[in-house]
Amino acid sequence: MVLCYDPRPEGRCGVAIKYELLLKNGEVIDPGDKRRGRYDIAFTNGVVAAVAQSIPAEEARETTDVSGKLVTPGLIDTHGHFFYGYQPRFGHPDDFCLPTGVTTAVDAGSAGCSVFPALRDRVMRQCATRLFAFVHLSSNGLNKETTNQGELMDMNLVDVDQTVQCIRDNPEGVVGLKVRIDDSALKPENALPALELAREAANQAGCRIMVHVSRSPIPLSQILSFLRPGDIVTHPFHGSANGPLDAKGRVRPEVLQARKSGIIFDSGCAKVHLDLNVCRAFLEQGVLPDTISTDGSRLDRSYTLPEVMSMFLELGMPLEQAVAATTQNAAAAIGRDAELGSLRVGSAGDAAVLELQEGDFAFGDRAGNVLKSRHRLASVLTVKSGSRWRKTC
Ligand SMILES: [Zn+2]
């Protein structure tokens, strides 16, 4: 225990410093701990050490007043691409995530089993962002930029045994198997075989599947029939053929049934795989995404996670639900909710300090729809593992 030194005669020498960092006076939104209101949060030894209505500043080595700001658990981006160095479009997670309040991110299948060790050793184990990954069913992962070919155009690139081994060998970082049922990824006749192989590999590895459903050559109901509770559908709000709405614009009953059974619906974004009108239809019918994610990689190309949250807020999603979708629900979706996604005492010491900015903002999609908004969430401070995150280079 360290005692503070305060040279002022009226100082309170002898007050024990209990905490490394204290965030004071923030409006805390922590659905995972069922907490909403003005609280102080203290961190020490990399974890949340105390949450209370008032924690004396004298007890902390560093105190930041966050009056008027929102404080949430560190945000979790359940779908991004961070295999830095593999393809030109993949950015570094520390550039895309930490400046935007995201402390945990999930690489959604940029690497398959043959290149996963490079993602693990060069990025996941080196970066400050807490990075997990889905392993792609295609051994080489997403390498279309350099090969000019969709990752499953050649089904010989699937090696179920090696994929299962890769997932089993990396339990600390791998959270599941990824497959894309997209006409740019595979030939239409290979959509069902790809799903069969994905199901077989996931069953053997005992892991969840994340399936990309945008631009699918087969009906969504066929894709959903391969999924089990805990599996994740990403990009459900796309506006391409075989979409989630029927001809009258209603959410298809099989989508409602899938959600009821415990299949998780992850927004994704990346503009190309999200249609604002489809999102609006879902929200108007009371069907919210379980998790909100960017499908992003680089700040110059993608919306940040607070921006994607802002889109959903503007479309009518309540703030508390949008925070749940990027904290509590996201942590549960990757099976890490015991330690992540909440500010309860003992959790990882990750927090996002956000502000709701006023101005004229616009969010666009691939179809050319534009959503105008008077508000936008923006990150003002990120706490990672109990310390203020600062860019070091
Ligand atoms: Zn993606």
Side-chain angles (χ1 to χ4, degrees):
M1 188 170 286
V2 179
L3 295 183
C4 80
Y5 169 72
D6 187 337
R8 294 173 298 170
E10 72 280 19
R12 298 174 58 187
C13 284
V15 174
I17 290 187
K18 295 183 189 169
Y19 310 117
E20 293 297 322
L21 175 65
L22 175 61
L23 299 181
K24 272 195 86 64
N25 304 318
E27 172 73 14
V28 172
I29 305 179
D30 181 8
D33 201 24
K34 297 185 171 44
R35 190 182 294 276
R36 172 98 198 236
R38 209 199 58 76
Y39 288 94
D40 295 348
I41 301 179
F43 304 86
T44 205
N45 295 328
V47 301
V48 178
V51 182
Q53 286 187 323
S54 182
I55 299 173
E58 292 83 355
E59 294 182 1
R61 191 178 305 280
E62 181 182 359
T63 298
T64 301
D65 189 328
V66 290
S67 301
K69 308 286 190 279
L70 303 174
V71 180
T72 70
L75 302 178
I76 302 173
D77 189 347
T78 42
H79 183 158
H81 292 280
F82 305 111
F83 193 175
Y84 183 63
Y86 186 50
Q87 302 286 299
R89 74 183 173 100
F90 294 152
H92 195 282
D94 294 351
D95 293 334
F96 187 71
C97 299
L98 292 167
T100 68
V102 174
T103 52
T104 298
V106 184
D107 183 277
S110 307
C113 60
S114 66
V115 288
F116 178 78
L119 171 63
R120 179 193 61 205
D121 298 342
R122 294 182 200 162
V123 186
M124 295 170 76
R125 288 181 177 167
Q126 310 292 334
C127 61
T129 310
R130 191 177 281 103
L131 186 61
F132 297 100
F134 282 86
V135 171
H136 204 293
L137 181 66
S138 171
S139 302
N140 291 335
L142 300 177
N143 61 356
K144 190 177 177 186
E145 251 185 315
T146 49
T147 61
N148 255 327
Q149 179 165 290
E151 70 271 17
L152 285 176
M153 287 295 171
D154 177 0
M155 291 295 282
N156 290 320
L157 288 168
V158 180
D159 185 329
V160 169
D161 291 345
Q162 288 297 320
T163 301
V164 169
Q165 199 59 47
C166 175
I167 295 169
R168 282 188 182 149
D169 287 348
N170 295 283
E172 72 290 345
V174 173
V175 294
L177 176 74
K178 174 81 185 288
V179 63
R180 295 198 317 139
I181 306 303
D182 180 314
D183 62 14
S184 71
L186 42 63
K187 296 173 184 146
E189 63 270 27
N190 285 330
L192 290 174
L195 284 163
E196 280 163 13
L197 291 167
R199 185 74 264 161
E200 184 188 334
N203 287 352
Q204 284 188 39
C207 71
R208 63 183 62 77
I209 297 175
M210 175 186 268
V211 58
H212 162 131
V213 300
S214 170
R215 301 179 57 179
S216 167
I218 60 174
L220 182 56
S221 58
Q222 276 188 298
I223 299 176
L224 294 172
S225 71
F226 284 87
L227 303 184
R228 307 283 178 267
D231 289 336
I232 301 170
V233 173
T234 191
H235 303 308
F237 307 123
H238 70 90
S240 316
N242 293 312
L245 303 177
D246 67 14
K248 291 187 173 166
R250 292 173 304 211
V251 178
R252 292 184 184 280
E254 56 266 32
V255 170
L256 300 175
Q257 185 53 42
R259 293 190 81 244
K260 214 168 163 186
S261 77
I263 292 170
I264 292 159
F265 281 69
D266 171 64
S267 75
C269 183
K271 294 189 243 182
V272 287
H273 299 303
L274 181 141
D275 185 299
L276 287 164
N277 289 334
V278 177
C279 288
R280 186 179 282 111
F282 266 75
L283 290 167
E284 282 174 359
Q285 291 169 60
V287 187
L288 307 180
D290 297 298
T291 56
I292 293 177
S293 60
T294 61
D295 195 10
S297 192
R298 289 171 27 180
L299 290 172
D300 60 342
R301 289 185 166 203
S302 319
Y303 286 127
T304 66
L305 191 55
E307 285 173 331
V308 184
M309 293 166 76
S310 305
M311 282 170 48
F312 280 96
L313 293 180
E314 183 61 29
L315 289 167
M317 189 167 182
L319 176 60
E320 206 154 317
Q321 307 258 32
V323 172
T326 48
T327 59
Q328 177 189 24
N329 297 359
I334 57 168
R336 297 296 194 276
D337 47 327
E339 67 272 20
L340 302 176
S342 168
L343 290 165
R344 74 178 78 86
V345 172
S347 296
D350 296 357
V353 181
L354 307 169
E355 69 180 359
L356 200 55
Q357 298 175 334
E358 282 196 26
D360 291 314
F361 306 109
F363 305 103
D365 67 10
R366 180 204 197 194
N369 301 306
V370 176
L371 179 70
K372 291 189 173 165
S373 174
R374 291 283 305 142
H375 296 95
R376 180 179 69 179
L377 279 174
S379 166
V380 292
L381 168 67
T382 302
V383 177
K384 168 70 186 11
S385 299
S387 303
R388 287 173 67 113
W389 172 78
R390 293 180 178 88
K391 199 167 170 58
T392 50
C393 59

